[in-house]
Amino acid sequence: DEYQWKGPFYFIQGADPQFGLMKAWTHGDTTNGDDEWGEEIKLTEQAVQAINKLNPKPKFFVLCGDLVHGMPGTQWRKNQEQDLKTVLKNTDRDIPLVFVSGNHDVGNTPTRETIDDYCKNWGDDYFSFWVGGVFFLVLNSQLYFDSSKCPELKQAQDVWLDEQLAVAEKQKCKHIIVFQHIPLFLKKPDEDHDYFNLDKSVRQEIMEKFHKAGIKAVFSGHYHRNAGGSYKGLEMVVSSAIGCQLGQDTHGLRVVVVTEEKVLHKYYSLDELSSQGIEKGLLDVIAEQK
């Protein structure tokens, strides 16, 4: 049923609730300073309440990685994960949750063990799904960042991705949209590589593959600021965090509207979305052709 286009719809994208980072960042100890996350609990509760109030309901709520701050094996990780699950359980049951793995979820240099642990807790680290004629791909971007300890897992994801893109081509989907934690790039496709984007050679290969497959947009987090740009019609959308802000943006969520022709989106602060909801212009777009 979901292979068929039935008219415009929207979903909510969030990123980096990252329970524990706010205190760690304030105290300048990002390795061991994550022993409190009360602020992040409040912000994520606010995000869930804001989403639950929206009418019509979003098709799903995707969290683009760094669910918690504690790296695999660190002291507070299990408690952070448990508290995040407790908050997310209050999401309206009609709004599916989609989880994307981030570097804090599987480790900067993931291993088979850290990825297995993530999968037990949150679900597969890469998968695809259909909503109303649109094909969505969730990728484990850490395998593109550093797969030195599990090269066979990167290879498996690459093979799987090629298979999925072949399926998408056959099914004649309206759009293909990708979710991953680390952006391909922040502003320009040829910018230098740093902690917040993918290595240039890896990036070029993925961008070209995505462009050839007709992928419309890639949504990511990781940067804790809003950013983005485009490559040959492929839009790179970088959303700021629900949790700790590293720039001038507000704690927020992105509303993404999918029409027959386009993928439109707007970043809302949590306060704005809680008090006013989605602006009329976007709601009108969703209501069209229903």
Side-chain angles (χ1 to χ4, degrees):
D1 192 39
E2 291 297 341
Y3 288 158
Q4 306 309 314
W5 175 254
K6 306 187 196 72
F9 63 87
Y10 81 103
F11 63 86
I12 301 288
Q13 184 221 3
D16 303 273
Q18 205 158 342
F19 281 25
L21 177 59
M22 288 173 84
K23 181 187 175 216
W25 187 257
T26 313
H27 285 63
D29 180 4
T30 52
T31 314
N32 302 303
D34 60 332
D35 59 343
E36 288 175 21
W37 49 90
E39 279 300 306
E40 287 95 339
I41 288 177
K42 277 191 212 138
L43 290 160
T44 311
E45 282 174 344
Q46 188 184 2
V48 167
Q49 285 158 10
I51 291 167
N52 286 348
K53 280 200 306 202
L54 296 173
N55 184 21
K57 290 183 201 306
K59 287 285 186 186
F60 59 88
F61 171 29
V62 58
L63 272 170
C64 280
D66 280 2
L67 306 173
V68 299
H69 183 66
M71 286 279 186
T74 55
Q75 188 177 0
W76 305 107
R77 179 182 173 93
K78 286 273 175 276
N79 298 37
Q80 289 167 358
E81 288 185 327
Q82 197 45 60
D83 284 353
L84 177 58
K85 285 180 182 179
T86 301
V87 174
L88 292 175
K89 272 180 188 152
N90 293 317
T91 310
D92 186 311
R93 289 189 178 281
D94 294 332
I95 304 169
L97 289 164
V98 177
F99 297 110
V100 182
S101 64
N103 56 306
H104 282 260
D105 305 312
V106 296
N108 284 325
T109 306
T111 64
R112 185 175 279 282
E113 291 69 35
T114 63
I115 291 176
D116 281 351
D117 182 63
Y118 169 85
C119 293
K120 279 193 198 95
N121 265 299
W122 302 102
D124 292 341
D125 59 322
Y126 58 90
F127 56 97
S128 64
F129 61 98
W130 288 82
V131 174
V134 177
F135 193 46
F136 292 93
L137 292 161
V138 170
L139 297 177
N140 180 348
S141 55
Q142 219 49 39
L143 295 173
Y144 295 127
F145 195 82
D146 182 359
S147 63
S148 56
K149 288 191 178 163
C150 54
E152 74 288 357
L153 297 184
K154 178 192 182 288
Q155 194 184 352
Q157 177 172 257
D158 288 345
V159 168
W160 171 87
L161 178 59
D162 288 343
E163 286 167 358
Q164 296 298 307
L165 294 175
V167 166
E169 191 177 16
K170 224 179 269 163
Q171 289 286 356
K172 301 280 179 276
C173 53
K174 276 286 173 222
H175 306 292
I176 311 171
I177 294 173
V178 172
F179 300 120
Q180 58 188 60
H181 178 61
I182 300 183
L184 298 168
F185 57 88
L186 297 171
K187 291 176 181 147
K188 297 192 177 121
D190 59 350
E191 70 198 14
D192 288 341
H193 166 59
D194 66 21
Y195 174 78
F196 288 111
N197 59 20
L198 291 178
D199 183 83
K200 273 175 121 166
S201 60
V202 177
R203 179 196 315 167
Q204 187 57 43
E205 192 184 323
I206 298 170
M207 290 190 307
E208 208 36 50
K209 180 181 283 195
F210 285 4
H211 163 65
K212 284 193 176 124
I215 289 171
K216 271 275 165 53
V218 177
F219 288 88
S220 70
H222 189 52
Y223 192 44
H224 295 254
R225 286 154 281 214
N226 286 310
S230 64
Y231 172 82
K232 298 185 181 175
L234 165 73
E235 191 182 5
M236 181 67 243
V237 184
V238 185
S239 289
S240 198
I242 291 171
C244 188
Q245 300 300 314
L246 301 183
Q248 302 307 306
D249 292 297
T250 51
H251 307 283
L253 294 165
R254 194 172 290 278
V255 173
V256 186
V257 175
V258 185
T259 75
E260 200 157 2
E261 302 297 323
K262 293 186 187 138
V263 178
L264 311 161
H265 52 87
K266 184 180 178 208
Y267 187 84
Y268 286 85
S269 75
L270 293 181
D271 289 344
E272 200 182 353
L273 201 60
S274 301
S275 59
Q276 294 156 31
I278 301 171
E279 69 199 53
K280 187 175 180 307
L282 279 182
L283 285 173
D284 289 346
V285 172
I286 302 162
E288 277 168 28
Q289 310 162 25
K290 281 282 187 234

